[in-house]
Amino acid sequence: MHVKDSDPPDGGYGWVVVVSAFMVMGLTAAVLKTFGLFFVEIQQHFDELASTTSWITSVTIAVFHLGAPVASSLCVRYTHRAVVITGGLLAFSGMALGFLGVNMVWMYATTGFLQGLGISFSWTPAISIVSHYFSKKRALANAIASAGECAFAFTFGPFFQWLISQYGWKGALLIIGGIQLNICVCGVLMRPLASSCLLEGSCSETETSPGDGSSRIDEEDKSPSTHKTFNWMLVRQPEFVLYAIFGILAAMSFFVPPLFLVPLSYSLGIDESWTASLLSILALVDFAGRLLCGWYANLRVTKTVHLLTMAITLISTSLMLLPLANNYLTLAIFTGFYGFFFGTTVAVHITVLADVVGMPDFDSALGLFMLIRSTGGFVGPPLAGLIVDMAGDYRAGFYMAGATLVLSAGFLVTLDQLQQRKERGSQTITKPEKSTLSYPSLHLLKLQ
């Protein structure tokens, strides 16, 4: 019975966890994704350059990634539920204190650092616990959970714009912080699996019997969902290193388009109300891309790493074409292409990570991956802002993002080649072993 409880249920209460994770994605990643609406307001209020203002988003992204190993370690030490609740409180604090708007450094510390830490402590355990609850349907479950980012961003675009117009950017930050307190409610619903109770040692005393039960408890302690230590040695695995480098380059690119899409539309003379609709379009097609790709990946027709490589290639193409837009219609079309292929990427990139390292090391790998990827998120927006300031055109930022994604696709191809080479090597090793077993029998036949 214990062993059955430790296996991923692939359904049941797992779907409640997916819905909770869906909400957490919306209240964290969607807020970060639509923060570009505050970019011009904050820049004008403090009279700063684009590169200086973009550091707010850069700090948020960096802390979001840097806090992932801490969040993963706390999940192992305590529970996913406790860490998500803590993240909700931190996210609220960041927005509520950002309401004061003292100066740019204050914004870095509040809407940058505290908000980023809150997002990290909410996002990381939410996406992690979904992978523990599902095995066969993991790709689909992750896609549905991550789609919360798009569903909320679809409404957050015009809603945040309305909040800014009615209450100013400071009042909007305070209201958004209050909305983020709902992350704590979602965290309460994330019930730990039976096996995860063993991490705390409380369940082991009640479930261990003086007979054969103790041996089964020991086996469960070694199961994928009961890893008690954070595996830092993953950095020595070539496959993980290649995927981490891909993550760095991808992070340098992914946060640039949402940040500069609004300023680009303003530079083209597009009305503010139409500009907000671009973010809604981006969220809508992103949502469709995640669900369709999650469904397709669940069919297991194509290897997930191949699917991810194709999606990255198509994203880079759409980013190279997006700056060619000169009116709202063409900008909306190219934004739609970018959003759809971005959704397909998000739907499978966590599943690819699980395939690369395996579920026993997944929690550690997720934390390390986010930590390493943070360098890309930290450097990307300021670098793009610097390029925009030098070129005097927001289009330059999109060209930089597209070129970086092309480079990242090369590391995915290298990863796939390495995996195929290892598979061929393991096959050639097993063949001689099978053939040598036949030699003694052949020798006996000759003697007879």
Side-chain angles (χ1 to χ4, degrees):
M1 180 177 179
H2 296 303
V3 176
K4 183 178 180 181
D5 288 341
S6 64
D7 293 334
D10 264 313
Y13 193 81
W15 293 116
V16 177
V17 175
V18 170
V19 173
S20 300
F22 178 93
M23 298 289 292
V24 171
M25 297 302 109
L27 295 172
T28 55
V31 173
L32 179 59
K33 199 170 186 178
T34 52
F35 197 77
L37 289 169
F38 291 88
F39 184 89
V40 176
E41 299 290 336
I42 296 175
Q43 181 183 8
Q44 292 177 351
H45 178 81
F46 293 106
D47 192 22
E48 296 286 354
L49 295 173
S51 56
T52 304
T53 308
S54 64
W55 275 102
I56 298 176
T57 303
S58 180
V59 171
T60 307
I61 296 169
V63 175
F64 167 36
H65 290 81
L66 289 170
V70 180
S72 296
S73 299
L74 290 174
C75 288
V76 174
R77 178 64 179 85
Y78 301 101
T79 61
H80 295 78
R81 170 188 286 171
V83 181
V84 171
I85 294 173
T86 304
L89 295 174
L90 287 170
F92 162 74
S93 300
M95 287 297 193
L97 292 173
F99 160 77
L100 301 177
V102 178
N103 50 43
M104 191 61 74
V105 176
W106 179 264
M107 300 304 296
Y108 295 157
T110 55
T111 57
F113 180 81
L114 283 179
Q115 178 68 197
L117 195 62
I119 291 175
S120 182
F121 277 35
S122 304
W123 188 94
T124 307
I127 204 69
S128 174
I129 195 172
V130 169
S131 295
H132 282 297
Y133 262 90
F134 291 86
S135 178
K136 295 179 181 179
K137 301 176 182 178
R138 183 174 296 140
L140 180 61
N142 279 326
I144 294 174
S146 67
E149 174 186 341
C150 320
F152 277 74
F154 178 74
T155 56
F156 277 176
F159 178 58
F160 286 4
Q161 188 74 58
W162 179 81
L163 286 178
I164 294 173
S165 64
Q166 294 294 318
Y167 305 100
W169 67 270
K170 292 184 179 181
L173 287 181
L174 183 61
I175 295 173
I176 294 168
I179 295 173
Q180 285 184 308
L181 280 175
N182 288 286
I183 295 173
C184 300
V185 180
C186 299
V188 172
L189 295 174
M190 292 181 179
R191 187 173 67 195
L193 283 167
S195 57
S196 63
C197 295
L198 300 173
L199 297 174
E200 302 174 11
S202 58
C203 297
S204 59
E205 297 178 1
T206 58
E207 294 181 0
T208 304
S209 59
D212 56 346
S214 59
S215 61
R216 281 185 290 183
I217 294 297
D218 292 337
E219 292 178 1
E220 287 180 359
D221 283 344
K222 298 176 183 178
S223 68
S225 56
T226 58
H227 244 276
K228 292 186 176 181
T229 58
F230 195 89
N231 186 6
W232 293 94
M233 293 299 102
L234 286 169
V235 294
R236 295 184 177 182
Q237 294 185 11
E239 295 91 341
F240 177 77
V241 172
L242 286 171
Y243 196 68
I245 296 174
F246 153 75
I248 294 173
L249 296 172
M252 288 180 64
S253 308
F254 285 161
F255 296 101
V256 172
L259 185 63
F260 291 111
L261 182 61
V262 172
L264 175 63
S265 65
Y266 287 161
S267 66
L268 295 176
I270 298 174
D271 186 74
E272 290 185 3
S273 58
W274 288 103
T275 298
S277 69
L278 287 175
L279 297 178
S280 298
I281 293 172
L282 183 65
L284 182 63
V285 294
D286 188 352
F287 181 83
R290 296 188 193 209
L291 293 183
L292 287 176
C293 187
W295 168 78
Y296 180 77
N298 200 61
L299 298 177
R300 302 187 180 183
V301 178
T302 307
K303 287 181 63 175
T304 51
V305 66
H306 293 168
L307 197 59
L308 181 60
T309 305
M310 289 187 290
I312 290 295
T313 304
L314 291 170
I315 289 177
S316 61
T317 304
S318 62
L319 284 178
M320 292 293 191
L321 294 175
L322 192 145
L324 300 178
N326 54 9
N327 53 49
Y328 174 80
L329 179 60
T330 54
L331 187 60
I333 292 173
F334 289 131
T335 298
F337 279 118
Y338 161 75
F340 181 84
F341 296 126
F342 176 81
T344 60
T345 299
V346 177
V348 296
H349 83 288
I350 296 297
T351 304
V352 173
L353 178 62
D355 294 339
V356 170
V357 301
M359 280 309 297
D361 288 318
F362 176 71
D363 281 334
S364 300
L366 181 60
L368 279 175
F369 178 73
M370 297 295 290
L371 173 65
I372 297 171
R373 197 176 72 169
S374 66
T375 56
F378 189 72
V379 173
L383 178 60
L386 179 62
I387 293 174
V388 166
D389 288 335
M390 293 175 62
D393 192 343
Y394 288 108
R395 294 182 176 89
F398 291 91
Y399 287 126
M400 168 262 180
T404 308
L405 278 179
V406 172
L407 184 60
S408 71
F411 285 92
L412 287 179
V413 173
T414 306
L415 170 63
D416 181 50
Q417 293 296 320
L418 180 60
Q419 289 179 323
Q420 291 184 15
R421 190 181 308 166
K422 285 194 171 184
E423 290 175 1
R424 290 193 297 265
S426 62
Q427 292 174 359
T428 55
I429 291 174
T430 54
K431 286 182 180 179
E433 292 178 355
K434 293 180 180 179
S435 61
T436 53
L437 293 175
S438 62
Y439 290 151
S441 59
L442 290 173
H443 182 65
L444 290 174
L445 288 174
K446 289 180 180 179
L447 289 176
Q448 292 175 355

